[in-house]
Each structure stands twice: as structure tokens, then as C-alpha cells.
Amino acid sequence: MAFPEESLSQGEEVRLHLHPHWIVVFWPAVMAVITLGGTIAAAVLVGINVWFYIIAAVALVLFIWLSLTPYIVWRSTHYVFTNKQVLLRTGVLRREERGIPLNKVNNVRTTQGLLDRILRCGTLIVESAGEVHGQSELTRIPNVIRVSNTLKELVAEDLDRHQLDEEELRAALKEHREAGGTL
């Protein structure tokens, strides 16, 4: 479930490609061990008979519901930071992809609780112009402070790329005057 390159425009470079922090799949992994252990214990205690097959079927359903599904959702959630935008991609059966152009980013904030600080993750809040709700929350971002700093650097680079320096401004004004334009 890699991030497809066709989601990027020409000349767009991926700077960071993240999934939510691994802690998101910690409890699903614990549940996988419990369902496997329970199935093995059932085989030992009741033997291989009809009751074992019923227990194994229930364990399989629990494994899919409590372990496999959260893992697939985790792997199919992408936070991609490029030199042009922030892409958020979620969904397994019904996929949603949203891009926030860097020139629309107004503010970048992070929040971390005590457990988040211990695990070095947190929530990244990207406030942008033109969004319906004005902000997007990216939860359980690994190394959220580093990601926040990288995003701020990308926004600054994008701003520099779209601004004229004094020499370029003078050349543009000279060209405009030579073409007969007035100010």
C-alpha cells in the first residue's frame, strides 16, 4: 500500500512520507497474540473437534475485526509532505485524498499529551486559507516536532519561490515600461 506517484504533479518531490505512529497498531497486535494464544489453548484443552472449529471461527472473526482491519487502515493512511503541498490520504475501500497547497498554509501547530511526548508523537494541526473548516488535524504523527519544523521550512521555501527579489522586480518594471505600460 505504497503512496502512488501519480498523485504528485510534475516536478513535485516528496520530502516526508509518514503513516500514523506505530502505537496505533500496538493494541491490535496484542489482540492478535491473544486470539492466536486462545486458539492454541482451545486446541490443547478441547482437542480437535467441533467445539475447536467453532472457537477457531470466532477467533478468526475477532482477529480480522480487532487486528487485521486496524493494521490495514494504518497502512493505508498516508501523510505526505512535498515541495508543493501536504497530502492526506485515508481509506481502504473508499479512499479520500486531500491536498493543502503550501501557499495556503497559514499556521502550523502541534499538540502533545504526556504519553505522546514519551512516545515522540503528537497531533499536527495545519490551518489553511480556503479550507471549509480552516484546519486539518493529522493525529499520531511520529516525531511531530521534526515534522512541524519540516513543514514550516517547506512553507518558507514555497513563499521564497513565489516572491520576486528586488532585482527581479526592477527587471519586471523595466520590461513593463518598455512595453508601454503605465503604473
Side-chain angles (χ1 to χ4, degrees), residues 51-69:
W51 288 108
F52 169 75
Y53 290 117
I54 292 171
I55 292 169
V58 170
L60 179 63
V61 169
L62 288 174
F63 173 78
I64 291 170
W65 178 40
L66 299 174
S67 298
L68 187 61
T69 302

Side-chain angles (χ1 to χ4, degrees), residues 16 19 26 30 34-35 45-47 54-55 68 74-75 81 92 95 97 104 107 110-111 131 163 174:
L16 283 175
H19 296 284
F26 175 76
V30 169
I34 290 172
T35 54
L45 293 174
V46 298
I54 292 171
I55 292 169
L68 187 61
W74 174 72
R75 287 292 298 161
F81 300 83
V92 178
R95 184 165 289 145
E97 186 173 304
K104 299 287 186 193
N107 191 20
T110 61
T111 60
E131 286 282 317
Q163 285 184 339
K174 182 180 178 186

Side-chain angles (χ1 to χ4, degrees), residues 48 50 52 62 75 90 98-99 101 129 132 139 141 165 177:
I48 305 298
V50 174
F52 169 75
L62 288 174
R75 287 292 298 161
T90 59
R98 189 176 47 185
V132 176
T139 56
I141 300 290
D165 64 12
R177 274 187 248 131

